Amino acid sequence: MIKTLYLRVVLTFSTVVVISVCLAFPIAMFLYTDDISTEVEQVLTKIGNQIISMSKELDPEDLDAFLEGTTELNESYALTLFDSDKKPHAFGMPNKDFMKLQPEVIDQVLQGQTYKKLQLQFGKFQDPAKVNIGLPLTVDGKQYALFISPKITDKSKAQIRTGVAFVLLIVLIIGSLLILIASRYIVSPIKKLTVATNRLARGNFNVNLKVNQKDEIGLLTESFIHMASELKQLEQMRQDFVSNVSHEIQSPLTSIRGFSKALRKHDLPEADRQRYLEIIERESERLSRLSENLLKLASLDTEHHPFTPMTYDLDEQLRRVVVFYEPQWSEKHLELDLDLPRVKIVADIDQLNQVWINLLGNAIKFTPEHGKISVRLEPRTDHIRVLVEDTGIGIRKEDQDRIFERFYKADASRQRDIGGNGLGLSIVRKIVEMHQGFIEVQSKPGEGTLFIVILPVMARRQKQTKA
């Protein structure tokens, strides 16, 4: 069995060349024999007319000597002369052989008609050596029939075939050498791809392949380089994810462990004991939220996460979320400005409810006391805009493009105090994209933040793609 692509390509191309060469000779003979026969016929007709014209001008007394002389001057043809008695005279033929012709053919030429032995037909394989032309000849008042045929011997035909075969053999040899070179050129980038694939399989994502070709192999190489780059990013994301999860889990666990040890002291004041218990409870809730958000993201990343769109009032859903957070915004004396005209939407009610809870929850957390939060609903022809704006601390420009990344915190120290884990906005963006919508943010530090969610009126689940 052939195991290397190089050998397979060489053998395949060589087989094609050999078959082509073997078929070329008979096909060429088949296609061009008629043309050659026609050309021979025209040459013989011209020679015959010249002989007849010369005989009229010279009026030779010895016709046999005259015809013998013409064949000696030009050895490419042979003559056979028939007199009125149909007696043959051969000129320019070995052993004085003459053409075997039917009596009616001889009579036809003696009567002044021209004869062509082969009536050439399209696609009919004919031997040019058998072309035969008959012309009427009149000398000294006597009528003759002059037949002309090419003098091509079997040896000459064999030499022609040998020459053609030799040329085809040279073509075969040169073609095979060129195939060896071309095959190496074709297989070389594939070998490089194989080496790069093995390195990639061992975890080395630093693939450096030069792409000089624009053909299918060049496109394959570019796709491989792109794949390696994506895998490298994916591996980096995985490592960052593990590192972030470990950090987020380690911090509350450290607090819980430390305060649990402190609670063992028998002389611990009751006020400190209660404070430690509150911290343990708060850190436990933080772990619970982290676990819940991780499970939520993992579920959203799969194709099997439930997606049940239904028609409902979006404005009513937003009002319920605002009422849900009333204790929080009332405690901070925040002003809520609602502009919610009646709008119906077809979407997954539970998932979008999670979006509004996260956005409004963030607005309340990052808005100082006596601040203002506005929630507006803007229906358009084929989509809906939901705007959640606050007068909070704002987000720096360099952080705005990254706040939707998992575990990213624009201000890690302040979010740690507030209790965030950097997953809420990632969940928001994932849900919005699943509804074939998108979310954007506009913010200035110290002036507040505006989140704009744009959703189609009738949402359909967006097919999941992996980074």
Side-chain angles (χ1 to χ4, degrees):
M1 179 180 293
I2 302 174
K3 295 184 178 180
T4 64
L5 179 62
Y6 176 72
L7 184 57
R8 186 176 301 173
V9 170
V10 170
L11 291 179
T12 300
F13 284 161
S14 298
T15 302
V16 170
V17 171
V18 171
I19 294 176
S20 300
V21 169
C22 292
L23 294 177
F25 181 75
I27 291 176
M29 293 298 295
F30 179 81
L31 294 177
Y32 295 108
T33 298
D34 283 352
D35 294 337
I36 296 174
S37 299
T38 302
E39 184 177 352
V40 170
E41 173 196 341
Q42 293 174 353
V43 171
L44 294 180
T45 303
K46 182 178 180 181
I47 292 173
N49 291 329
Q50 289 176 348
I51 293 174
I52 293 174
S53 177
M54 289 174 60
S55 65
K56 290 181 179 180
E57 292 178 0
L58 299 177
D59 193 17
E61 296 181 357
D62 189 348
L63 182 59
D64 290 352
F66 171 73
L67 296 178
E68 187 67 33
T70 59
T71 57
E72 290 178 356
L73 292 174
N74 190 343
E75 298 181 353
S76 63
Y77 61 89
L79 302 175
T80 300
L81 183 68
F82 292 90
D83 56 19
S84 57
D85 297 330
K86 300 180 183 180
K87 182 179 179 181
H89 300 269
F91 307 95
M93 294 185 182
N95 302 323
K96 297 299 181 180
D97 293 334
F98 54 86
M99 288 174 269
K100 306 297 189 295
L101 299 171
Q102 298 294 330
E104 56 271 17
V105 173
I106 300 173
D107 290 337
Q108 175 183 339
V109 178
L110 288 174
Q111 293 173 6
Q113 299 181 16
T114 300
Y115 168 74
K116 299 178 183 179
K117 179 179 181 182
L118 295 179
Q119 299 297 324
L120 302 179
Q121 300 176 0
F122 176 77
K124 183 178 179 181
F125 187 86
Q126 303 183 85
D127 188 354
K130 297 182 179 179
V131 174
N132 196 352
I133 302 298
L135 298 174
L137 176 63
T138 304
V139 177
D140 196 18
K142 296 182 179 179
Q143 193 70 24
Y144 298 93
L146 179 64
F147 291 87
I148 309 171
S149 63
K151 192 160 53 174
I152 302 177
T153 63
D154 293 339
K155 182 179 180 180
S156 300
K157 290 189 285 186
Q159 290 176 345
I160 294 174
R161 293 192 182 98
T162 302
V164 173
F166 182 72
V167 171
L168 294 179
L169 180 62
I170 294 176
V171 171
L172 175 61
I173 294 174
I174 296 176
S176 299
L177 292 176
L178 294 177
I179 287 171
L180 290 174
I181 298 173
S183 299
R184 185 175 296 276
Y185 173 77
I186 294 173
V187 174
S188 177
I190 298 179
K191 289 183 177 179
K192 294 180 181 178
L193 276 176
T194 303
V195 174
T197 303
N198 293 331
R199 291 171 54 192
L200 195 67
R202 292 193 296 267
N204 185 357
F205 299 102
N206 296 319
V207 178
N208 185 17
L209 292 174
K210 295 183 179 180
V211 183
N212 297 323
Q213 298 171 268
K214 300 299 181 181
D215 54 8
E216 288 80 359
I217 294 180
L219 294 176
L220 177 61
T221 304
E222 290 180 354
S223 299
F224 180 85
I225 294 173
H226 178 70
M227 180 191 68
S229 176
E230 293 293 323
L231 288 175
K232 184 178 181 180
Q233 294 181 12
L234 188 62
E235 177 64 17
Q236 185 63 43
M237 290 174 58
R238 185 189 68 82
Q239 293 178 1
D240 293 342
F241 180 80
V242 173
S243 176
N244 290 328
V245 170
S246 300
H247 175 75
E248 292 293 333
I249 292 177
Q250 186 64 31
S251 179
L253 286 179
T254 302
S255 298
I256 292 173
R257 183 171 59 252
F259 288 109
S260 297
K261 291 180 179 179
L263 287 173
R264 292 180 180 178
K265 297 179 181 180
H266 298 290
D267 57 346
L268 185 68
E270 185 62 25
D272 290 341
R273 185 182 303 275
Q274 292 299 324
R275 185 167 61 87
Y276 292 168
L277 288 174
E278 289 177 1
I279 294 175
I280 291 175
E281 182 180 3
R282 186 170 63 248
E283 294 297 322
S284 299
E285 290 176 353
R286 180 180 171 186
L287 280 175
S288 177
R289 288 195 302 270
L290 175 62
S291 175
E292 181 181 352
N293 286 335
L294 286 173
L295 291 174
K296 184 78 173 178
L297 275 173
S299 178
L300 290 172
D301 283 337
T302 66
E303 293 284 348
H304 306 293
H305 184 78
F307 185 84
T308 53
M310 59 181 298
T311 303
Y312 68 94
D313 294 323
L314 180 59
D315 57 301
E316 185 63 28
Q317 183 184 42
L318 291 170
R319 289 190 182 93
R320 287 196 297 267
V321 173
V322 172
V323 173
F324 172 78
Y325 275 114
E326 183 177 3
Q328 286 84 352
W329 55 262
S330 296
E331 182 182 358
K332 298 180 71 173
H333 306 286
L334 301 178
E335 179 185 350
L336 266 292
D337 179 21
L338 304 182
D339 182 9
L340 304 175
R342 186 175 182 182
V343 173
K344 286 189 176 293
I345 189 174
V346 179
D348 190 307
I349 186 170
D350 293 331
Q351 291 186 18
L352 284 189
N353 194 65
Q354 182 72 39
V355 171
W356 315 135
I357 287 176
N358 285 346
L359 291 180
L360 189 57
N362 284 343
I364 294 173
K365 283 192 296 183
F366 295 105
T367 302
E369 292 187 359
H370 303 287
K372 181 180 179 180
I373 297 176
S374 64
V375 181
R376 302 195 302 274
L377 187 56
E378 298 178 354
R380 301 296 173 88
T381 303
D382 57 348
H383 66 274
I384 301 169
R385 287 162 52 95
V386 180
L387 299 90
V388 179
E389 186 175 11
D390 62 62
T391 57
I393 61 176
I395 305 172
R396 294 176 301 179
K397 181 64 176 179
E398 58 269 25
D399 294 326
Q400 292 180 22
D401 295 333
R402 301 191 59 190
I403 58 174
F404 296 105
E405 296 179 10
R406 300 178 184 186
F407 294 106
Y408 184 78
K409 300 177 183 179
D411 191 339
S413 60
R414 299 190 63 173
Q415 287 213 23
R416 189 179 299 111
D417 295 336
I418 295 174
N421 52 40
L423 293 177
L425 290 179
S426 298
I427 294 175
V428 168
R429 184 176 66 172
K430 196 71 176 179
I431 293 175
V432 171
E433 289 178 348
M434 287 179 61
H435 284 74
Q436 295 185 331
F438 58 92
I439 182 172
E440 59 184 38
V441 60
Q442 300 174 6
S443 180
K444 291 183 178 180
E447 297 184 11
T449 303
L450 170 63
F451 282 96
I452 304 174
V453 178
I454 301 176
L455 295 169
V457 175
M458 183 174 294
R460 292 174 296 177
R461 179 170 185 150
Q462 176 70 40
K463 186 176 179 181
Q464 300 293 320
T465 57
K466 295 183 178 180

